Structure formats: C-alpha cells, structure tokens
Amino acid sequence: SQQGEEDPQALSIQEGENATMNCSYKTSINNLQWYRQNSGRGLVHLILIRSNEREKHSGRLRVTLDTSKKSSSLLITASRAADTASYFCATAGPSYGNNRLAFGKGNQVVVIP
Amino acid sequence: NAGVMQNPRHLVRRRGQEARLRCSPMKGHSHVYWYRQLPEEGLKFMVYLQKENIIDESGMPKERFSAEFPKEGPSILRIQQVVRGDSAAYFCASSPQGIGNEQFFGPGTRLTVL
C-alpha cells in the first residue's frame, strides 16, 4: 500500500510567497525524507528528518514531523520560479523491513514569476 | 565526484524484446536501489542490492524481471519479453550505508515499449 500521501496534490503560487505541502503516512517510521523532481529528471534529496526530531531547517526549507499524527509538512519560504517541481515525501521504517523507501504520489508546485 | 549514472537515458523496445538498464552508483556506495515510476505517480520500490547480493526483491514482479549488482561493473535491471505495461521511468539510487540514510538518485531510464 502507498505509504506517503501528499496534500495538496497541486499548488500554484506567486514568486515570493510561501508554499506548504503535507504528507501523511500509515505505519511507524525511522525517518521521513523529502525529494524534489523537476519535469523529466531524477530526484534530488532535500531533507531527512528522523522519527525523534520534530523540526528541521535547510536554507529556505522547513520540515516538521508529527509522529502522533503520522504527518509531515514541507514549507518553502520566499519561493522562486526555480522551485517549480514535483515534491515527494518518502518514509523508511520497519514495516517494510527497513530496506526501502515508500514514496507518496507527489505534490506539483508551480511558482509563477 | 560523479553522481549516480544511468544508461541509456531513453530506451525503446518492441513487445517481446529484452530491456537492459544499467546503473553505476556513486563512488564509495555499495547499496543500490531500483524504483519504477509510472506517469503522474510516485516511485515504487522494486529491489535493493548490495555487491553480489539481492537483499530485498519484494517489489519486483515475479516474472520477466531480474536484477544484479556484480562485484565489478554496474548494477543491471533486466526485463525480458517486455510488454506495453512496462513503459515507465526506472530510477536507480545508491547510498553509502543501508536504508535509513539519504539515497542519491540517477537521472533515470525512460523505457518505451511499442
């Protein structure tokens, strides 16, 4: 079954605005990771947050993790046109034998210049 | 330090032919993962390999698909007797340690079955 599910599925914002997307999962995890994928390209790792962490920052990115609600959010501040991409969350945990990442379907973000 | 390399980037096959996808992990990485992405979908895990060992192939279809990561050379994902439903983007990722750490992805191979 699909582990991560992002919400909303598509987001269109003006350059300079903040973009927030959420991800929910169903089983216990060791960590949750966010990836970006530009159209027709591979995935770029953005940030990893472990199950014992609640918040993490990296540049203009802020990730939160709420294990009680089994959810995570990714915030991109002061968005740029170059942030236009699909964003995926992926979880790693014992439910899948710790041997795989389970990906959500992705959020498509369009930043309008 | 070159990233994960995949080739070919695009592969066209007719139904019934074989497809061979290659992945060279990042230098120093001994863990390789293969994922498949259908249009408008997220990535689905296929197989996890270490050098000369298949650790987890629970995401691989039981028939026609196989993977290897030999002591020397790239990891190979092989699809025999391809069907139209095999058309997808196939991504390889590598990591220096096992799952639970960041995975570095290659650019993918886009397989089209005519």
Side-chain angles (χ1 to χ4, degrees), chain B residues 21-78:
Chain B
L21 288 62
R22 295 175 185 79
C23 168
S24 296
M26 287 182 69
K27 188 177 181 180
H29 288 192
S30 59
H31 299 256
V32 166
Y33 313 82
W34 284 94
Y35 295 85
R36 177 165 63 178
Q37 184 179 33
L38 296 171
E40 310 301 324
E41 294 281 333
L43 276 69
K44 296 289 175 62
F45 168 83
M46 297 183 75
V47 62
Y48 164 38
L49 310 103
Q50 294 180 27
K51 282 285 186 182
E52 301 185 278
N53 283 307
I54 297 175
I55 307 302
D56 181 356
E57 58 181 348
S58 57
M60 288 266 278
K62 294 274 188 283
E63 298 177 350
R64 303 188 297 107
F65 285 72
S66 62
E68 62 177 10
F69 188 17
K71 186 176 180 181
E72 302 289 339
S75 175
I76 305 286
L77 178 66
R78 181 183 178 203

Side-chain angles (χ1 to χ4, degrees), chain A residues 40, chain B residues 6-13 107-112:
Chain B
Q6 287 187 251
N7 69 80
R9 294 291 307 277
H10 300 274
L11 182 61
V12 179
R13 286 287 178 265
T109 294
R110 276 152 186 81
L111 172 65
T112 301

